[in-house]
Amino acid sequence: MEEYVGCKINRTSEKSMIMYQDTLIKKMLKSFGNELGNMRKYESPTSTGNAVVRPVEGEPILSEEMQTRYRSGIGILMFLIKYSRPDISNAVRELSKVNDGATEGQYKELLRVMKFVKDMKKSGLKYNVENKELSENHMWEMMAYCDSDFAGDKDSQKSVTGYGIYLLGCLIAWKSRGQKTVSLSSSKAEYLAIADVCTKILFVRNVFDFSGLKIDYPILVRCDNVGAMFLSYNAKTSPRTKHVDIKAHFVWEYVDEGIIKIVFLKLENNDSDIWTKNTDRKTFARHVVKFMGRNE
């Protein structure tokens, strides 16, 4: 089996294949395996509602040697996230906020994420294979979920953006990231999340155009905030919306041209919820099963 940028692909059935990074996981276990041996099995990467907060002045932090070890662990996990393990994105994003000064408790949370990865080492990104010839006029169906956690960063009060983009039902892009500015309302935070995912969609669209492949328009972007949808469809500003970043309003243009369509869905059906906050294990499992598979 060939390996490319640390990734392997295994066909698990006639219609499905898994992309995984067992070489990197083995490297992680070689460095941290002794510390994971006595830990119990976890069904999610971190506990419900867990949020990393920077240590206050005077609070004990890790020694320089242990902090270097902490950063090394975060680096390994981030490389896993980049290619095959979107399921741990939010947990690692939270932990990376204290790369310059973590506490002992936060180091234990890092080990918990690693233990989850170890227990799920046979898991990877799932792709369904279509057993049919695609003609040059084939229309590729793309859609996305997006969400935000309003004021989710307890230190800065900035919101968190999360999204996932699917091509023919397969996850091809994802993000869990803190927003750059403080949002004054949940609608603004959700709208900035829509703008973020639309930026990525337009990049993928340009790649398809360059390759001569055709996308089925409009591309559906699903969100769970009615106020953000209103902002996406209405180019007029008012005293209540003038605080929204003008750079985000490019969404109007692409909605008006029929390239993107913003549609509402209930929170419990929003896959991107797991990229904005640490959810309970049942919610986590319900969303993850849509894009993760196992090598049997």
Side-chain angles (χ1 to χ4, degrees), residues 131-147:
N131 293 328
K132 63 179 182 180
E133 269 189 50
L134 301 179
S135 69
E136 62 179 58
N137 294 319
H138 179 80
M139 305 297 286
W140 294 75
E141 181 183 342
M142 190 188 307
M143 58 88 66
Y145 295 90
C146 70
D147 192 20

Side-chain angles (χ1 to χ4, degrees), residues 38-50:
N38 296 324
M39 297 179 69
R40 67 180 180 86
K41 185 175 182 178
Y42 296 102
E43 297 182 55
S44 61
T46 190
S47 53
T48 307
N50 180 59

Side-chain angles (χ1 to χ4, degrees), residues 2-8 19-21 23-24 79 82-83:
E2 294 185 1
E3 188 169 339
Y4 181 68
V5 293
C7 298
K8 295 179 180 178
M19 184 164 70
Y20 62 105
Q21 294 171 272
T23 301
L24 187 59
F79 201 77
K82 185 175 182 179
Y83 294 108

Side-chain angles (χ1 to χ4, degrees), residues 154-281:
K154 304 307 178 186
D155 287 316
S156 66
Q157 298 302 304
K158 293 178 181 178
S159 302
V160 179
T161 286
Y163 66 72
I165 301 174
Y166 292 79
L167 181 67
L168 297 179
C170 302
L171 186 66
I172 61 168
W174 54 90
K175 181 70 71 177
S176 175
R177 182 175 66 185
Q179 295 182 358
K180 294 182 179 180
T181 59
V182 175
S183 294
L184 301 181
S185 68
S186 59
S187 292
K188 178 188 175 182
E190 294 276 357
Y191 184 55
L192 292 178
I194 291 174
D196 207 5
V197 72
C198 286
T199 301
K200 188 67 173 183
I201 286 173
L202 296 174
F203 168 77
V204 176
R205 172 185 178 238
N206 288 338
V207 172
F208 268 64
D209 286 345
F210 180 79
S211 304
L213 303 175
K214 299 180 179 179
I215 295 176
D216 188 14
Y217 295 110
I219 300 168
L220 300 185
V221 175
R222 304 179 184 276
C223 77
D224 53 31
N225 187 283
V226 175
M229 290 182 61
F230 175 83
L231 289 172
S232 301
Y233 282 98
N234 292 271
K236 295 180 180 179
T237 59
S238 71
R240 297 181 65 185
T241 61
K242 64 182 181 180
H243 62 281
V244 177
D245 295 349
I246 196 69
K247 66 180 181 181
H249 290 326
F250 79 94
V251 175
W252 295 336
E253 178 183 345
Y254 291 102
V255 168
D256 188 56
E257 291 179 3
I259 295 172
I260 289 169
K261 182 177 181 180
I262 314 298
V263 295
F264 178 80
L265 85 166
K266 294 182 179 179
L267 174 61
E268 57 267 26
N269 297 324
N270 194 341
D271 287 355
S272 54
D273 192 36
I274 64 169
W275 291 307
T276 61
K277 61 184 73 70
N278 294 317
T279 62
D280 62 85
R281 58 184 179 83

Side-chain angles (χ1 to χ4, degrees), residues 61-78:
I61 61 173
L62 298 175
S63 66
E64 185 175 343
E65 179 183 355
M66 290 302 294
Q67 189 64 48
T68 299
R69 186 168 174 78
Y70 182 91
R71 285 193 291 266
S72 174
I74 291 293
I76 292 172
L77 293 175
M78 291 186 74

Side-chain angles (χ1 to χ4, degrees), residues 108-119:
K108 290 179 179 178
E109 283 294 323
L110 172 68
L111 294 179
R112 169 174 171 157
V113 178
M114 289 182 171
K115 182 60 167 63
F116 175 76
V117 171
K118 176 185 176 182
D119 293 338

